[in-house]
Amino acid sequence: MSIQPAYVHSLRGRLRIKVAEVKGDLLRAREIEHKLSGFEGIKHLKANPTTGSVLILYDPHQWEQGKIIKTFKELGYLKELCQKQGPDVKPYKSAFAAEAFEGIGQRVMKSLAQTLIESAIQGLVSSLI
């Protein structure tokens, strides 16, 4: 059995987390559903033992993504994984941090593209006037 690092995919009020402990284990999937469904503000939670994915729909006024991930860790899920690199053993970067960094890059690129388009439109309008 190979262990894959966890990933997180998120939108406001919706979070999908890959949980290695759930993959291939129907009892663990139902256990995680039972443990977390009782929290106030969790609207829907479904753990898929086939994919190892857990989908959480939540009230963003009561929960933050970081708080949900912290709760998973406190319950014994999302254990840190290590990857051997050279003579040192280093932990994987957290999936949440990696996605946040990727999101920042996407926002910067979107902002840059928007600025370039606005400048081009202003130049075009100025040349027509």
Side-chain angles (χ1 to χ4, degrees):
M1 168 192 240
S2 67
I3 298 177
Q4 301 290 322
Y7 78 85
V8 177
H9 181 263
S10 61
L11 299 169
R12 184 170 162 81
R14 182 183 187 275
L15 187 64
R16 182 180 302 277
I17 305 174
K18 190 72 109 173
V19 180
E21 296 89 350
V22 169
K23 186 165 180 135
D25 192 336
L26 180 61
L27 292 176
R28 293 290 295 247
R30 295 306 164 250
E31 173 186 87
I32 202 167
E33 288 174 350
H34 177 73
K35 284 182 178 180
L36 291 161
S37 292
F39 285 94
E40 186 176 335
I42 301 292
K43 298 175 182 178
H44 175 78
L45 191 138
K46 182 68 177 167
N48 185 332
T50 303
T51 63
S53 181
V54 179
L55 174 67
I56 306 114
L57 303 178
Y58 63 94
D59 179 352
H61 298 291
Q62 292 181 286
W63 286 87
E64 299 175 346
Q65 296 163 2
K67 182 178 173 185
I68 293 172
I69 291 171
K70 182 180 177 186
T71 301
F72 268 77
K73 287 183 178 183
E74 288 171 353
L75 292 172
Y77 300 100
L78 301 177
K79 294 182 174 119
E80 295 296 323
L81 300 175
C82 292
Q83 176 183 29
K84 190 165 182 144
Q85 298 177 352
D88 301 323
V89 175
K90 299 178 182 179
Y92 282 111
K93 292 180 180 176
S94 86
F96 188 69
E99 185 171 358
F101 184 78
E102 183 180 318
I104 290 169
Q106 290 173 349
R107 286 191 297 269
V108 167
M109 291 302 291
K110 183 178 178 181
S111 177
L112 179 61
Q114 185 177 359
T115 301
L116 289 172
I117 290 169
E118 288 173 358
S119 294
I121 290 171
Q122 286 177 348
L124 180 61
V125 169
S126 295
S127 67
L128 291 174
I129 296 178

